[in-house]
Amino acid sequence: MKPRLVTFEGIEGCGKSAVSREALLALERAGVNAVLVREPGGTAVSERIRELLLDPERREIAPLTELMLYLSARSQLVSEVIRPALADGRTVLCDRYIDASVAYQGFARGLGERFVERLNRVAAEGAVPDRTFLLDVPVVEGLARGPLRRERDGVARRDRLEREDLAFHERVREGYLRLARRNRSRVVVVVASRPLEDVVSAVLGNLERLFSVSLI
Ligand SMILES: Nc1ncnc2c1ncn2[C@@H]1O[C@H](COP(=O)(O)OP(=O)(O)O)[C@@H](O)[C@H]1O
Ligand SMILES: [Mg+2]
């Protein structure tokens, strides 16, 4: 079976972490050799960069610095984990990846979508997702799920990005929907304002066709 790179994207609280874990379990049950990583993170170096990026005390981080930090975390993840796993025949699921930089730094922060896409191509070294699930949810609904998530993950306070105002998160959502329209063959928009089981079913239904396996 050809290994695939599958990514999960969307605003805070849309369900990326919950859905990607379910997808991993379903693929493993079906005998697909898969790993799940998150961005920023997934390597020792990238997790250190994550701490810096999410630290609510680091309000001074400039938009371009922010972008470069995400790209640094990404290039380490690609060279240390993603490319070796794919070369080894393993499918990689990634909780956020290149599209997050386009939506957050390119569109919401105003650095320019094309500019970020160019730099993404450098950082990703050709590791372009085969399928991307954009879990789309209204901003207030996603943000309202934050306390549940922090409790699950044992996180005490809102991170630097969760602290951005509603207008910022609205721009992120719009940035994601814009890139979904530009990448229709790769990006599948999944309505995430419904029960988690329904979101998971929609994703697994699509993955069944991508992997030609039965997952439900
Ligand atoms: N469709 C859904 N309906 C209700 N709760 C959900 C749904 N999707 C996720 N959740 C819950 O909301 C919280 C945030 O989900 P999470 O997967 O951490 O979002 P993200 O990783 O996109 O920020 C978690 O507690 C999760 O279990
Ligand atoms: Mg998450």
Side-chain angles (χ1 to χ4, degrees):
M1 185 182 294
K2 189 175 179 292
R4 306 284 190 175
L5 175 57
V6 176
T7 63
F8 296 83
E9 297 279 1
I11 64 165
E12 318 293 325
C14 68
K16 299 175 295 297
S17 301
V19 173
S20 57
R21 275 174 231 185
E22 292 298 325
L24 176 72
L25 293 175
L27 287 169
E28 284 176 337
R29 277 196 300 271
V32 176
N33 189 352
V35 289
L36 169 62
V37 291
R38 69 169 179 186
E39 263 214 0
T43 74
V45 167
S46 312
E47 291 287 338
R48 289 287 293 277
I49 298 173
R50 178 189 183 92
E51 285 170 26
L52 187 53
L53 278 165
L54 298 187
D55 183 351
E57 306 298 324
R58 294 281 66 80
R59 280 187 293 270
E60 72 274 28
I61 295 178
L64 188 58
T65 310
E66 182 179 84
L67 172 64
M68 296 301 183
L69 285 169
Y70 276 106
L71 291 166
S72 300
R74 179 164 307 138
S75 68
Q76 187 64 29
L77 181 68
V78 168
S79 69
E80 194 179 323
V81 179
I82 296 181
R83 284 168 66 91
L86 293 171
D88 207 29
R90 279 185 295 161
T91 279
V92 179
L93 307 185
C94 200
D95 177 349
R96 287 197 187 285
Y97 190 52
I98 50 175
D99 299 316
S101 296
V102 177
Y104 280 78
Q105 287 75 45
F107 189 73
R109 298 262 194 240
L111 291 176
E113 294 148 291
R114 303 284 170 207
F115 172 65
V116 174
E117 281 166 1
R118 282 211 306 279
L119 294 176
N120 267 338
R121 279 197 285 278
V122 177
E125 300 177 60
V128 176
D130 297 291
R131 178 74 78 250
T132 296
F133 294 103
L134 171 54
L135 309 183
D136 184 53
V137 74
V139 168
V140 285
E141 207 174 315
L143 293 182
R145 293 175 186 167
L148 272 173
R149 174 180 66 171
R150 284 192 294 281
E151 195 178 314
R152 179 195 67 197
D153 298 344
V155 174
R157 24 176 220 176
R158 287 182 306 154
D159 67 39
R160 191 174 59 88
L161 286 138
E162 287 178 278
R163 283 167 198 247
E164 291 286 347
D165 61 16
L166 278 184
F168 175 79
H169 293 286
E170 293 287 1
R171 289 199 299 280
V172 173
R173 185 183 182 203
E174 191 189 337
Y176 270 127
L177 291 169
R178 286 166 58 90
L179 77 84
R181 286 196 290 273
R182 288 199 301 278
N183 298 277
R184 284 186 197 277
S185 58
R186 169 171 71 87
V187 181
V188 176
V189 181
V190 177
V191 175
S193 51
R194 49 183 168 162
L196 182 57
E197 310 85 79
D198 297 359
V199 181
V200 171
S201 299
V203 167
L204 295 187
N206 191 285
L207 287 177
E208 286 191 327
R209 294 192 292 282
L210 182 66
F211 288 91
S212 305
V213 292
S214 171
L215 295 174
I216 301 177

